[in-house]
Amino acid sequence: MGGAQGRPMRADAARNRARLLDAATEVFTTRGVGVPTEEIARTAGVGVGTLFRHFPTKEALLEAVMVRRLEEMAVRTARLADESEPPEAFFACFRLVVEQSEGKNEFAQALAAAGVDVHASLHEPTMEIQGRLADLLTGAQRAGAVRPELGLPEFLALLAGTSRAMEQLGADPEPRERIFQVVFDGLRPRRGTSAK
Amino acid sequence: MGGAQGRPMRADAARNRARLLDAATEVFTTRGVGVPTEEIARTAGVGVGTLFRHFPTKEALLEAVMVRRLEEMAVRTARLADESEPPEAFFACFRLVVEQSEGKNEFAQALAAAGVDVHASLHEPTMEIQGRLADLLTGAQRAGAVRPELGLPEFLALLAGTSRAMEQLGADPEPRERIFQVVFDGLRPRRGTSAK
Amino acid sequence: MGGAQGRPMRADAARNRARLLDAATEVFTTRGVGVPTEEIARTAGVGVGTLFRHFPTKEALLEAVMVRRLEEMAVRTARLADESEPPEAFFACFRLVVEQSEGKNEFAQALAAAGVDVHASLHEPTMEIQGRLADLLTGAQRAGAVRPELGLPEFLALLAGTSRAMEQLGADPEPRERIFQVVFDGLRPRRGTSAK
Amino acid sequence: MGGAQGRPMRADAARNRARLLDAATEVFTTRGVGVPTEEIARTAGVGVGTLFRHFPTKEALLEAVMVRRLEEMAVRTARLADESEPPEAFFACFRLVVEQSEGKNEFAQALAAAGVDVHASLHEPTMEIQGRLADLLTGAQRAGAVRPELGLPEFLALLAGTSRAMEQLGADPEPRERIFQVVFDGLRPRRGTSAK
DNA sequence: AATGAATGAGCATTCATTCAT
DNA sequence: CATGAATGAATGCTCATTCAT
């Protein structure tokens, strides 16, 4: 599955598609989803027509950007999960997802505003990541590293929230690290609770 | 200060202004900042002309909505801070601000996207709240209830992030409470650290 | 019924609406339905926004133009039918409809291409005119002035066809008159048939 | 004259040209001249590039379609004229032209809208048919079967108009026949006139 | 002061035509 | 020669803002 369509797509077409995705990611992230399509095309170094040949709708472009980010995240999450043991993998993936999600919040809102719910093409990678995160959560909880009462929804909400906090904080690494300390400490089981 | 212009503003004008603010708050919060001004006017039961007489710009209306929310928050924060002692006041205000901020995130982004930085009229109430929050933070830190290494920026970022997490979580109180538990526990000083 | 909406519409708004209809009629008739909306607005002396305030769609404008022509035609047809006796009224209305329909053919095609069938607002005046024409036809047939085997569809088709012929012929009255002679003579009952 | 360029055109090129003409005839007739060129190419089973190699312009394609139809009509008209005597030939050709012209009206309008007048390449076959029709008309008039006062322009206008009437009427043969009866009877000389 | 009609710059999208593969 | 990706001018429509009533 994945990119296996009928024809293999011409070299230049593939390059333009990639350029458009890169440009859109960059522009949407830094300047918001309100930027004119024409500007995205210009940033990618192609004409508007090309943009609309590859993505029939501005919304479709937005979606494709998100799908790609989600897929990348899925791959990296999977790799991290394989490399380390449950508790470490859990926290490493938490960091990864938070950092990869920065600037993506607006996308989701824009998409949600457009269609009734999240689009079909987003569903698959979303589910894949969520499944992996659910496994990491349970693993870390079994290992006693994370409070057992937390469910997947709270975990995902914490990811989104931490990402939002980072957006507000800027690039300076020290304050960012302090935010992670707060959240990670908060995730650990309470002494009294587990000890009793 | 505030609305002290030359004339005291006619009664019906004041009522229209209030209606517009209410309508804008409602509409922006539930349907986003992209809603046409005309619709806000209709919701308020006035014509567009009236809207633009009171707020010279859509952005100005957005700003006024935020100012009002911030002012309300300042008042309620002040009351809370007076009623209880530092550590309790700190956590109570944290809850208050988080709950009052839900749905407001998009506003801030829209405003930030428009002007270079936060606008002048927002500066005053923002400063007031921040000042109060800063006091609460230092008070709680002195009382040993909050990690001493946290600065105001991290605190504000945590507020924004927690609010974001709540937006994602919906209205069910139990998961929301678990989020608060995580963040509040994370805010407390580490055993080892304080023991030294 | 008819134009009786809630409010009576401001004077300038009514004038602009009329101007737009006039301009659209003129421009669509002489240069086809492909002309940009902007040009119609310019011809009417208003901005595009005004055009779209009055007619939410280019197609809606097209429709309104046709409705007005049909309504005018209904009125004039009714007047003619009242002034004269069946056979004369029939032929007089035939001429009238043919002359009023010139240039209108393309409209109908454009509308038909857009929606599946003729739009709701066109239905009423269309039905009114068709009803009147049906009455005229039967009246003329009873008076023995028109071949009895002709149905309403053939009659309407002949109207459209004669109008088309006139479009091709230009303004010179003599050839036009000869076309009418051919069609009118052809409409009369055959000797043999009526003699029986 | 005609298609006599330098090279005789490769076999596959000729086949593509024919396919394109067929596809264009089909598509223009059934769905109007507004259909994108790409779709015509797809229908023909070739790429757009090929279309534009054979016909430098969409308009040129339109023209070529009409030329071919006119040429076919010229051939069939000639054959009919040879097979029968003046009056019968006249009416047979009238039927033929009317039936062949259905759906073609829009083409002519589109072409007329584009250039100032009918294009050069259309001139030759148009003249040929018109000459033949003129001969048929005079022949039928000499034989006393058609009103002598009718000129070629009126005749052509009647052809166009009858064709338009048929378009409106649909495929049911009985009403169509009644239209022909009306027009043919109308074309015959008036008793009183000829009796004098 | 309130109203809502008018305005027009701005945007997403289409499509005839060109050109690299 | 064929292909179909690339192009960008053109178009219908929206919406913040102005202004006549």
Side-chain angles (χ1 to χ4, degrees):
Chain A
M1 215 173 285
Q5 266 94 33
R7 245 154 288 195
M9 188 184 260
R10 259 166 53 177
D12 54 349
R15 203 192 52 225
N16 278 337
R17 198 190 140 90
R19 276 188 188 173
L20 279 164
L21 276 178
D22 289 344
T25 304
E26 163 73 12
V27 169
F28 283 152
T29 305
T30 58
R31 302 185 34 209
V33 296
V35 241
T37 49
E38 183 134 15
E39 184 142 352
I40 297 168
R42 188 169 38 247
T43 306
V46 305
V48 245
T50 304
L51 188 157
F52 280 95
R53 166 176 280 270
H54 285 284
F55 308 96
T57 285
K58 191 186 188 182
E59 202 189 308
L61 174 57
L62 209 46
E63 203 178 301
V65 168
M66 289 208 63
V67 168
R68 198 175 62 162
R69 294 190 83 164
L70 285 174
E71 285 174 350
E72 281 173 16
M73 220 153 74
V75 170
R76 302 174 78 162
T77 309
R79 198 178 313 150
L80 267 185
D82 287 350
E83 285 171 359
S84 31
E85 287 307 294
E88 288 76 29
F90 174 84
F91 291 105
C93 283
F94 196 106
R95 280 175 186 274
L96 176 71
V97 172
V98 164
E99 269 148 18
Q100 295 298 312
S101 303
E102 266 183 81
K104 207 185 61 185
N105 290 305
E106 201 201 357
F107 293 10
Q109 284 174 320
L111 270 183
V116 199
D117 62 343
V118 181
H119 283 228
S121 61
L122 283 177
H123 193 249
E124 197 193 348
T126 301
M127 284 303 112
E128 187 183 346
I129 294 202
Q130 288 199 2
R132 214 170 296 278
L133 293 176
D135 290 348
L136 285 164
L137 176 62
T138 347
Q141 287 173 325
R142 281 210 197 95
V146 167
R147 317 161 79 110
E149 72 271 24
L150 278 182
L152 183 60
E154 295 99 301
F155 178 33
L156 297 175
L158 275 173
L159 283 169
T162 311
S163 170
R164 170 77 183 79
M166 295 310 185
E167 276 176 15
Q168 167 140 347
L169 221 45
D172 186 6
E174 295 205 12
R176 294 174 74 95
E177 199 50 40
R178 284 197 280 272
I179 297 290
F180 276 130
Q181 285 316 318
V182 168
V183 178
F184 287 176
D185 281 349
L187 281 168
R188 296 225 169 74
R190 287 307 82 198
R191 295 299 146 79
T193 309
S194 63
K196 190 155 62 93
Chain B
M1 196 212 286
Q5 266 94 31
R7 249 156 286 194
M9 186 183 267
R10 269 166 48 175
D12 55 347
R15 203 191 53 224
N16 279 339
R17 197 190 140 88
R19 277 188 187 173
L20 280 163
L21 276 178
D22 288 346
T25 305
E26 163 74 14
V27 170
F28 283 151
T29 306
T30 58
R31 302 181 38 205
V33 296
V35 199
T37 50
E38 184 128 16
E39 185 141 351
I40 296 167
R42 188 168 41 248
T43 306
V46 304
V48 245
T50 305
L51 189 157
F52 278 92
R53 169 170 290 273
H54 286 284
F55 308 96
T57 284
K58 191 186 190 181
E59 201 191 307
L61 173 59
L62 209 47
E63 204 178 298
V65 168
M66 289 207 63
V67 167
R68 199 174 63 160
R69 295 191 82 165
L70 286 174
E71 286 174 348
E72 283 172 16
M73 221 153 72
V75 169
R76 301 174 79 163
T77 310
R79 199 178 312 151
L80 267 185
D82 288 351
E83 286 171 359
S84 33
E85 287 309 294
E88 289 74 31
F90 174 84
F91 290 106
C93 284
F94 196 107
R95 280 177 186 272
L96 176 73
V97 171
V98 164
E99 270 148 16
Q100 295 298 310
S101 303
E102 265 184 83
K104 206 185 62 186
N105 289 304
E106 198 198 350
F107 293 9
Q109 285 174 318
L111 271 184
V116 200
D117 63 342
V118 181
H119 281 231
S121 63
L122 282 177
H123 193 250
E124 197 192 346
T126 301
M127 283 303 113
E128 186 183 347
I129 294 203
Q130 287 197 1
R132 215 170 296 279
L133 293 175
D135 290 348
L136 286 165
L137 176 62
T138 354
Q141 287 173 325
R142 280 208 198 96
V146 167
R147 319 161 79 111
E149 72 270 25
L150 279 183
L152 184 59
E154 294 99 301
F155 178 34
L156 297 175
L158 274 173
L159 283 170
T162 310
S163 170
R164 170 74 183 80
M166 294 309 182
E167 277 177 14
Q168 167 140 345
L169 220 44
D172 187 5
E174 295 204 12
R176 295 173 72 95
E177 200 49 42
R178 284 197 280 274
I179 297 290
F180 276 130
Q181 286 315 318
V182 168
V183 179
F184 288 175
D185 281 351
L187 281 168
R188 296 224 169 75
R190 291 303 84 196
R191 295 299 146 79
T193 308
S194 64
K196 185 156 69 92
Chain C
M1 212 177 284
Q5 265 93 34
R7 245 154 289 193
M9 187 183 259
R10 257 166 54 177
D12 55 348
R15 202 191 54 224
N16 278 337
R17 198 190 139 90
R19 276 188 188 172
L20 280 163
L21 276 178
D22 289 345
T25 304
E26 163 73 13
V27 170
F28 282 152
T29 306
T30 58
R31 302 183 35 206
V33 297
V35 242
T37 49
E38 183 136 13
E39 185 143 351
I40 297 169
R42 189 168 39 245
T43 306
V46 305
V48 246
T50 304
L51 189 158
F52 280 97
R53 166 176 279 268
H54 285 285
F55 308 96
T57 286
K58 191 188 188 181
E59 202 191 308
L61 174 58
L62 210 46
E63 203 178 301
V65 168
M66 289 208 64
V67 167
R68 199 175 63 161
R69 294 190 82 164
L70 285 174
E71 285 174 348
E72 281 173 16
M73 220 153 75
V75 169
R76 302 173 79 161
T77 310
R79 200 178 311 150
L80 267 185
D82 286 350
E83 285 171 359
S84 31
E85 287 308 294
E88 288 76 30
F90 174 84
F91 291 106
C93 283
F94 197 106
R95 279 174 187 274
L96 177 71
V97 172
V98 164
E99 268 147 18
Q100 296 298 310
S101 303
E102 266 183 81
K104 207 185 64 189
N105 290 304
E106 197 198 351
F107 291 10
Q109 286 174 318
L111 271 183
V116 198
D117 63 341
V118 180
H119 282 228
S121 61
L122 282 177
H123 193 250
E124 198 194 345
T126 300
M127 283 303 113
E128 187 183 346
I129 294 204
Q130 287 197 2
R132 216 172 293 280
L133 293 176
D135 290 346
L136 285 165
L137 177 62
T138 356
Q141 287 174 324
R142 280 208 198 96
V146 167
R147 317 161 79 112
E149 73 270 24
L150 280 181
L152 184 60
E154 295 98 303
F155 178 33
L156 296 174
L158 275 173
L159 284 169
T162 310
S163 170
R164 171 75 183 79
M166 294 310 183
E167 276 177 15
Q168 168 139 346
L169 221 45
D172 187 5
E174 294 203 14
R176 294 174 75 95
E177 200 50 40
R178 284 197 280 274
I179 297 290
F180 275 130
Q181 285 316 316
V182 168
V183 179
F184 287 176
D185 282 350
L187 281 168
R188 297 226 166 73
R190 287 306 85 196
R191 293 301 144 79
T193 308
S194 64
K196 188 156 65 97
Chain D
M1 196 213 285
Q5 265 96 31
R7 249 156 285 195
M9 187 182 267
R10 270 167 48 175
D12 54 348
R15 204 190 52 224
N16 277 340
R17 195 189 142 90
R19 276 188 186 174
L20 279 164
L21 277 178
D22 288 346
T25 304
E26 164 73 12
V27 170
F28 283 151
T29 306
T30 58
R31 301 181 37 205
V33 297
V35 197
T37 50
E38 184 128 16
E39 184 141 352
I40 296 168
R42 186 167 44 246
T43 307
V46 304
V48 246
T50 306
L51 189 158
F52 279 92
R53 168 169 292 275
H54 284 285
F55 308 96
T57 284
K58 191 186 190 182
E59 201 191 307
L61 173 58
L62 208 47
E63 204 178 297
V65 168
M66 289 207 64
V67 167
R68 198 174 64 160
R69 294 191 82 165
L70 285 174
E71 286 173 349
E72 281 173 17
M73 222 153 72
V75 169
R76 302 174 79 164
T77 309
R79 199 179 311 151
L80 266 185
D82 287 350
E83 284 172 358
S84 32
E85 288 307 294
E88 288 75 31
F90 174 83
F91 291 106
C93 284
F94 196 106
R95 278 175 188 274
L96 177 71
V97 172
V98 164
E99 269 147 18
Q100 294 299 310
S101 303
E102 267 185 81
K104 207 185 63 186
N105 289 304
E106 202 201 354
F107 292 11
Q109 284 174 320
L111 271 183
V116 200
D117 63 343
V118 181
H119 281 231
S121 62
L122 282 176
H123 193 250
E124 196 192 349
T126 301
M127 284 303 113
E128 186 182 347
I129 293 203
Q130 287 197 1
R132 216 170 293 280
L133 292 175
D135 290 348
L136 285 164
L137 177 62
T138 346
Q141 287 174 324
R142 280 210 197 94
V146 167
R147 317 161 79 111
E149 74 270 24
L150 279 182
L152 183 60
E154 295 98 301
F155 178 33
L156 297 175
L158 275 173
L159 284 169
T162 310
S163 170
R164 171 74 183 79
M166 295 309 183
E167 277 177 12
Q168 167 141 345
L169 220 45
D172 187 4
E174 295 204 13
R176 294 173 73 95
E177 200 49 42
R178 283 197 281 273
I179 296 290
F180 276 131
Q181 286 314 318
V182 168
V183 179
F184 288 176
D185 283 349
L187 281 168
R188 296 224 170 76
R190 288 305 83 197
R191 294 299 146 80
T193 307
S194 63
K196 187 163 67 100

PDB file of all heavy atoms in Angstrom, chain C residues 109-125:
ATOM      1  N   GLN C 109     -30.050  27.367 -22.921  1.00  0.00           N
ATOM      2  CA  GLN C 109     -29.048  26.301 -22.984  1.00  0.00           C
ATOM      3  C   GLN C 109     -28.080  26.386 -21.816  1.00  0.00           C
ATOM      4  O   GLN C 109     -27.759  25.390 -21.180  1.00  0.00           O
ATOM      5  CB  GLN C 109     -28.285  26.366 -24.310  1.00  0.00           C
ATOM      6  CG  GLN C 109     -29.115  25.870 -25.484  1.00  0.00           C
ATOM      7  CD  GLN C 109     -28.405  26.066 -26.808  1.00  0.00           C
ATOM      8  OE1 GLN C 109     -27.798  27.101 -27.031  1.00  0.00           O
ATOM      9  NE2 GLN C 109     -28.495  25.082 -27.691  1.00  0.00           N
ATOM     10  N   ALA C 110     -27.621  27.606 -21.537  1.00  0.00           N
ATOM     11  CA  ALA C 110     -26.669  27.782 -20.434  1.00  0.00           C
ATOM     12  C   ALA C 110     -27.289  27.324 -19.118  1.00  0.00           C
ATOM     13  O   ALA C 110     -26.664  26.631 -18.323  1.00  0.00           O
ATOM     14  CB  ALA C 110     -26.237  29.237 -20.326  1.00  0.00           C
ATOM     15  N   LEU C 111     -28.530  27.705 -18.911  1.00  0.00           N
ATOM     16  CA  LEU C 111     -29.202  27.297 -17.674  1.00  0.00           C
ATOM     17  C   LEU C 111     -29.392  25.788 -17.626  1.00  0.00           C
ATOM     18  O   LEU C 111     -29.130  25.146 -16.608  1.00  0.00           O
ATOM     19  CB  LEU C 111     -30.558  27.989 -17.566  1.00  0.00           C
ATOM     20  CG  LEU C 111     -30.556  29.334 -16.873  1.00  0.00           C
ATOM     21  CD1 LEU C 111     -31.966  29.863 -16.775  1.00  0.00           C
ATOM     22  CD2 LEU C 111     -29.948  29.200 -15.485  1.00  0.00           C
ATOM     23  N   ALA C 112     -29.829  25.256 -18.738  1.00  0.00           N
ATOM     24  CA  ALA C 112     -30.050  23.811 -18.780  1.00  0.00           C
ATOM     25  C   ALA C 112     -28.753  23.062 -18.505  1.00  0.00           C
ATOM     26  O   ALA C 112     -28.733  22.032 -17.836  1.00  0.00           O
ATOM     27  CB  ALA C 112     -30.617  23.420 -20.136  1.00  0.00           C
ATOM     28  N   ALA C 113     -27.652  23.598 -19.003  1.00  0.00           N
ATOM     29  CA  ALA C 113     -26.356  22.953 -18.785  1.00  0.00           C
ATOM     30  C   ALA C 113     -25.982  22.992 -17.311  1.00  0.00           C
ATOM     31  O   ALA C 113     -25.381  22.059 -16.795  1.00  0.00           O
ATOM     32  CB  ALA C 113     -25.288  23.644 -19.635  1.00  0.00           C
ATOM     33  N   ALA C 114     -26.327  24.076 -16.636  1.00  0.00           N
ATOM     34  CA  ALA C 114     -25.946  24.224 -15.232  1.00  0.00           C
ATOM     35  C   ALA C 114     -26.739  23.265 -14.343  1.00  0.00           C
ATOM     36  O   ALA C 114     -26.207  22.292 -13.837  1.00  0.00           O
ATOM     37  CB  ALA C 114     -26.163  25.669 -14.784  1.00  0.00           C
ATOM     38  N   GLY C 115     -27.998  23.549 -14.158  1.00  0.00           N
ATOM     39  CA  GLY C 115     -28.811  22.670 -13.327  1.00  0.00           C
ATOM     40  C   GLY C 115     -29.331  21.519 -14.158  1.00  0.00           C
ATOM     41  O   GLY C 115     -29.183  21.497 -15.366  1.00  0.00           O
ATOM     42  N   VAL C 116     -29.917  20.558 -13.501  1.00  0.00           N
ATOM     43  CA  VAL C 116     -30.427  19.411 -14.241  1.00  0.00           C
ATOM     44  C   VAL C 116     -31.579  19.852 -15.148  1.00  0.00           C
ATOM     45  O   VAL C 116     -31.597  19.586 -16.329  1.00  0.00           O
ATOM     46  CB  VAL C 116     -30.921  18.312 -13.282  1.00  0.00           C
ATOM     47  CG1 VAL C 116     -31.017  16.994 -14.025  1.00  0.00           C
ATOM     48  CG2 VAL C 116     -30.013  18.203 -12.095  1.00  0.00           C
ATOM     49  N   ASP C 117     -32.525  20.528 -14.551  1.00  0.00           N
ATOM     50  CA  ASP C 117     -33.638  20.982 -15.375  1.00  0.00           C
ATOM     51  C   ASP C 117     -33.892  22.463 -15.104  1.00  0.00           C
ATOM     52  O   ASP C 117     -33.146  23.110 -14.393  1.00  0.00           O
ATOM     53  CB  ASP C 117     -34.883  20.176 -15.054  1.00  0.00           C
ATOM     54  CG  ASP C 117     -35.308  20.386 -13.625  1.00  0.00           C
ATOM     55  OD1 ASP C 117     -34.453  20.843 -12.817  1.00  0.00           O
ATOM     56  OD2 ASP C 117     -36.464  20.120 -13.314  1.00  0.00           O
ATOM     57  N   VAL C 118     -34.916  22.981 -15.733  1.00  0.00           N
ATOM     58  CA  VAL C 118     -35.217  24.396 -15.562  1.00  0.00           C
ATOM     59  C   VAL C 118     -35.471  24.698 -14.081  1.00  0.00           C
ATOM     60  O   VAL C 118     -36.092  23.922 -13.377  1.00  0.00           O
ATOM     61  CB  VAL C 118     -36.450  24.766 -16.394  1.00  0.00           C
ATOM     62  CG1 VAL C 118     -36.748  26.246 -16.218  1.00  0.00           C
ATOM     63  CG2 VAL C 118     -36.215  24.446 -17.848  1.00  0.00           C
ATOM     64  N   HIS C 119     -34.968  25.823 -13.643  1.00  0.00           N
ATOM     65  CA  HIS C 119     -35.003  26.121 -12.219  1.00  0.00           C
ATOM     66  C   HIS C 119     -36.402  26.496 -11.743  1.00  0.00           C
ATOM     67  O   HIS C 119     -37.268  26.883 -12.507  1.00  0.00           O
ATOM     68  CB  HIS C 119     -34.025  27.250 -11.922  1.00  0.00           C
ATOM     69  CG  HIS C 119     -32.628  26.770 -11.879  1.00  0.00           C
ATOM     70  ND1 HIS C 119     -31.746  27.076 -10.873  1.00  0.00           N
ATOM     71  CD2 HIS C 119     -31.948  25.970 -12.708  1.00  0.00           C
ATOM     72  CE1 HIS C 119     -30.608  26.506 -11.095  1.00  0.00           C
ATOM     73  NE2 HIS C 119     -30.687  25.833 -12.225  1.00  0.00           N
ATOM     74  N   ALA C 120     -36.539  26.415 -10.437  1.00  0.00           N
ATOM     75  CA  ALA C 120     -37.845  26.625  -9.807  1.00  0.00           C
ATOM     76  C   ALA C 120     -38.436  27.984 -10.168  1.00  0.00           C
ATOM     77  O   ALA C 120     -39.589  28.082 -10.607  1.00  0.00           O
ATOM     78  CB  ALA C 120     -37.710  26.497  -8.295  1.00  0.00           C
ATOM     79  N   SER C 121     -37.633  29.023 -10.040  1.00  0.00           N
ATOM     80  CA  SER C 121     -38.179  30.360 -10.250  1.00  0.00           C
ATOM     81  C   SER C 121     -38.603  30.566 -11.693  1.00  0.00           C
ATOM     82  O   SER C 121     -39.402  31.442 -11.995  1.00  0.00           O
ATOM     83  CB  SER C 121     -37.149  31.414  -9.858  1.00  0.00           C
ATOM     84  OG  SER C 121     -36.013  31.266 -10.679  1.00  0.00           O
ATOM     85  N   LEU C 122     -38.044  29.787 -12.605  1.00  0.00           N
ATOM     86  CA  LEU C 122     -38.447  29.900 -14.002  1.00  0.00           C
ATOM     87  C   LEU C 122     -39.741  29.143 -14.238  1.00  0.00           C
ATOM     88  O   LEU C 122     -40.465  29.429 -15.197  1.00  0.00           O
ATOM     89  CB  LEU C 122     -37.367  29.317 -14.924  1.00  0.00           C
ATOM     90  CG  LEU C 122     -36.161  30.197 -15.157  1.00  0.00           C
ATOM     91  CD1 LEU C 122     -35.148  29.472 -16.012  1.00  0.00           C
ATOM     92  CD2 LEU C 122     -36.591  31.489 -15.815  1.00  0.00           C
ATOM     93  N   HIS C 123     -40.014  28.214 -13.366  1.00  0.00           N
ATOM     94  CA  HIS C 123     -41.134  27.321 -13.638  1.00  0.00           C
ATOM     95  C   HIS C 123     -42.454  28.070 -13.699  1.00  0.00           C
ATOM     96  O   HIS C 123     -43.238  27.898 -14.626  1.00  0.00           O
ATOM     97  CB  HIS C 123     -41.203  26.235 -12.546  1.00  0.00           C
ATOM     98  CG  HIS C 123     -42.110  25.124 -12.890  1.00  0.00           C
ATOM     99  ND1 HIS C 123     -43.312  24.911 -12.256  1.00  0.00           N
ATOM    100  CD2 HIS C 123     -42.024  24.175 -13.843  1.00  0.00           C
ATOM    101  CE1 HIS C 123     -43.906  23.874 -12.789  1.00  0.00           C
ATOM    102  NE2 HIS C 123     -43.140  23.393 -13.748  1.00  0.00           N
ATOM    103  N   GLU C 124     -42.667  28.945 -12.734  1.00  0.00           N
ATOM    104  CA  GLU C 124     -43.949  29.643 -12.669  1.00  0.00           C
ATOM    105  C   GLU C 124     -44.229  30.460 -13.932  1.00  0.00           C
ATOM    106  O   GLU C 124     -45.230  30.213 -14.613  1.00  0.00           O
ATOM    107  CB  GLU C 124     -43.984  30.522 -11.415  1.00  0.00           C
ATOM    108  CG  GLU C 124     -45.400  30.924 -11.029  1.00  0.00           C
ATOM    109  CD  GLU C 124     -45.358  32.049 -10.003  1.00  0.00           C
ATOM    110  OE1 GLU C 124     -44.287  32.290  -9.417  1.00  0.00           O
ATOM    111  OE2 GLU C 124     -46.402  32.673  -9.808  1.00  0.00           O
ATOM    112  N   PRO C 125     -43.353  31.428 -14.261  1.00  0.00           N
ATOM    113  CA  PRO C 125     -43.683  32.205 -15.467  1.00  0.00           C
ATOM    114  C   PRO C 125     -43.731  31.356 -16.728  1.00  0.00           C
ATOM    115  O   PRO C 125     -44.533  31.616 -17.623  1.00  0.00           O
ATOM    116  CB  PRO C 125     -42.559  33.241 -15.538  1.00  0.00           C
ATOM    117  CG  PRO C 125     -41.501  32.768 -14.621  1.00  0.00           C
ATOM    118  CD  PRO C 125     -42.126  31.894 -13.613  1.00  0.00           C
TER     119      PRO C 125
END
